[in-house]
Amino acid sequence: HARSALTRRPDIPAHLDYLGLDVLAGPDGNSVGDAHRLADLLGSRRFVAAMSFSVFEHLAMPWKVALELNRVLAPGGLVFTQTHQTWPMHEEPWDFWRFSRHSWQTIFNTATGFEVIEAVSGDPAHIHACYTDPVTRGLAASRDAHLGSASIVRKISDTALTWPVPVEL
């Protein structure tokens, strides 16, 4: 939110509580903090849903954030994630990952206390290499490239997993 100047509050029905979190202060203005420490910031089993737009590529350890989401969600809580599969580097040095629709079950699974309800790729694209060689020559004709990836997952259990590694860069 702070970096993009976007707020998701208008997308949420007015009768529902909304808490916007970003690593920097921004237009959502609700809360500032690191997603790698969600439970410390927000408490346990407090939320019924969480959503993330173009964030997971910037997480140093997205699997740690999955564990934190498990801690802040009530049983049955839902998580919507949307991020990039193919996109230019941005917000460096905090740009680490790209996700396919197959990525989500490696982060949100029974060990982390989730089930994937749906995972998709979106925004079809053609990739054009700046320099072509036998490996990259056919990329532009490929119909299997996508700019985005998204998932909806449900918390099915608590998890005992931890990842006690501090985020440093």
Side-chain angles (χ1 to χ4, degrees):
H1 306 257
R3 295 185 186 268
S4 66
L6 291 175
T7 178
R8 299 295 177 178
R9 181 59 181 125
D11 301 329
I12 306 303
H15 70 280
L16 297 176
D17 290 334
Y18 173 82
L19 184 137
L21 174 73
D22 205 331
V23 71
L24 298 174
D28 269 346
N30 293 73
S31 191
V32 176
D34 183 349
H36 296 89
R37 300 184 59 236
L38 282 177
D40 291 343
L41 295 167
L42 305 175
S44 296
R45 295 176 158 229
R46 181 175 167 196
F47 299 94
V48 297
M51 57 185 181
S52 166
F53 296 89
S54 299
V55 172
F56 267 64
E57 77 269 19
H58 298 292
L59 298 172
M61 296 175 251
W63 51 90
K64 183 172 184 167
V65 174
L67 298 175
E68 290 295 306
L69 283 164
N70 183 290
R71 288 177 177 83
V72 301
L73 286 172
L78 298 173
V79 179
F80 170 79
T81 53
Q82 172 278 318
T83 191
H84 305 299
Q85 180 174 353
T86 304
W87 202 259
M89 296 295 291
H90 57 285
E91 298 294 340
E92 291 181 74
W94 289 92
D95 190 355
F96 304 110
W97 309 100
R98 297 297 182 264
F99 296 83
S100 74
R101 66 183 173 90
H102 307 290
S103 303
W104 301 113
Q105 71 253 13
T106 68
I107 296 171
F108 296 107
N109 51 55
T110 55
T112 60
F114 291 96
E115 67 176 342
V116 175
I117 297 170
E118 187 166 1
V120 298
S121 295
D123 301 322
H126 293 286
I127 300 172
H128 298 272
C130 291
Y131 302 100
T132 58
D133 61 28
V135 175
T136 62
R137 191 164 289 123
L139 284 180
S142 172
R143 298 197 182 279
D144 203 26
H146 295 88
L147 298 180
S149 175
S151 69
I152 298 174
V153 303
R154 178 184 297 119
K155 177 179 175 176
I156 57 171
S157 67
D158 290 331
T159 182
L161 293 179
T162 62
W163 188 264
V165 179
V167 176
E168 296 177 21
L169 184 63

